[in-house]
Amino acid sequence: MRLHAIPHSTNVDRVALALGLKGVALDARVQHDPGDRAGVRAVSGQELVPVLETDDGQVLTDSMAIVAWIDATWPRPHPLYPADPAARREVEAFVAFFDGVWKVAPNAIEAEQARPEPDLAAIAAWAAQLRGWQHGFDALLQGRDHLFGDAPGAADICAYPFLRFATSSDPGDDDLFHGVLLEHLALGAGEHSRLAAWITRMASLPKA
């Protein structure tokens, strides 16, 4: 398998985490210049990463769709999605919320900051949303090590590459979106301790 990526990509990290948890190795990770997506387009017909070329000739896009494919292809050592239909729907709803609702605020902040005269009140409102949702993530971790249970699963893979900016950053990462996350997710001393501990646990997991 070949994974097409750009440096510091949060969505690529989702796939790398899923493969790492399954103990599946890549044949190659192909790094592309973020400013030149011609190679990504040539492989997949679109510009977004990750793109996964499978051993049987499939070309897969969309990070969480790839994670679901990985889980179905390698169900062991443990599933990333619950077998119970109702429990699986809860995890799928979380993923839909995270990608369709949670990510709106940091993307909007990034876009607003790029304007000649940013609307500071709008930025403050979106930032307040991000801070408010941290209470919810922290509450999900009450009495358990991961968002929907005691083992890492699809919800953790979905959220961790973004929420980790609450406590850490990558050297040399100058991505503006990641700068927004660093600024507005940063946890103060003792704040949301369950969330901070979860970030530490997730950081120790293997990646492909």
Side-chain angles (χ1 to χ4, degrees), residues 160-171 173 178 181-182 185-187 199-200 203:
Y160 165 73
F162 298 83
L163 298 185
R164 71 177 182 81
F165 286 94
T167 63
S168 64
S169 62
D170 295 332
D173 181 1
H178 298 167
L181 299 180
L182 282 167
L185 296 182
L187 296 179
I199 292 170
T200 299

Side-chain angles (χ1 to χ4, degrees), residues 121-141:
I123 289 173
W126 287 316
Q129 283 186 1
L130 290 175
R131 289 192 298 273
W133 280 320
Q134 284 181 312
H135 292 275
F137 298 130
D138 194 74
L140 280 173
L141 294 160

Side-chain angles (χ1 to χ4, degrees), residues 73-85:
T73 305
W74 293 279
R76 296 183 179 181
H78 70 266
L80 303 177
Y81 286 89
D84 176 74

